[in-house]
Amino acid sequence: YIQDPSNHDKFDIILADTLDPLGPAESLFEPEFYEAMHDALRPNGVVCAQGENMFMNLDLIRDLVACCSEIFDHAEYATTTVPSYPCGQIGFVLARKGNGHGKARGCSVPVRTPAFQDDLKWYNPQMHKAAFVLPQYIKVELNAAAGNMNGRIGELGDVDDGDDEEQEGDRCFLAGCTIQ
């Protein structure tokens, strides 16, 4: 479906809750899968894919971030705790297609607090920012893998592109989310 040319430039967000990279699911961790998602995104579109456990799968995560850094205009890794997962941690690879006007901004800094914040049990702007703060050895490894082509992984803040003016569509996709 995602490879069908009629679906190119069609999506703002693609969430890929992939299986572990074993057997038939290995193709979901190959460059071709990420290239197909890139083609399916509109300008400024974001992919968020299951990014494995940073304590158990750092080699795989390093390769995914390097791959996404070559395909997308911005790639980064975020983490959260999930007690039922191995080591209590799962990560996400977030990759953003640019708009053709310079570097794409990351999603590490939320642009607003949700109007329904008091109704949420887990999410808040501080948890959002914290998801992108990584242990030093992982930060170093992922920055080396990404070739530092698109900002510093594991540091708070958007990519410093020298232009503090926010352009239409530059905000993280999470800024427009609503719960119904």
Side-chain angles (χ1 to χ4, degrees), residues 26-95:
E26 285 182 39
S27 65
L28 302 177
F29 290 82
E30 297 293 327
E32 294 78 14
F33 179 63
Y34 288 88
E35 289 166 352
M37 289 193 292
H38 179 274
D39 291 343
L41 288 173
R42 291 183 180 134
N44 291 308
V46 175
V47 164
C48 179
Q50 190 260 95
E52 294 296 326
N53 181 296
M54 66 182 171
F55 303 115
M56 297 171 58
N57 305 103
L58 185 55
D59 291 343
L60 173 65
I61 295 165
R62 183 193 60 235
D63 292 347
L64 280 174
V65 168
C67 172
C68 287
S69 292
E70 291 179 13
I71 296 168
F72 293 86
D73 294 291
H74 185 82
E76 55 196 325
Y77 182 81
T79 182
T80 193
T81 56
V82 180
S84 61
Y85 278 38
C87 297
Q89 183 274 331
I90 192 68
F92 312 94
V93 174
L94 291 102

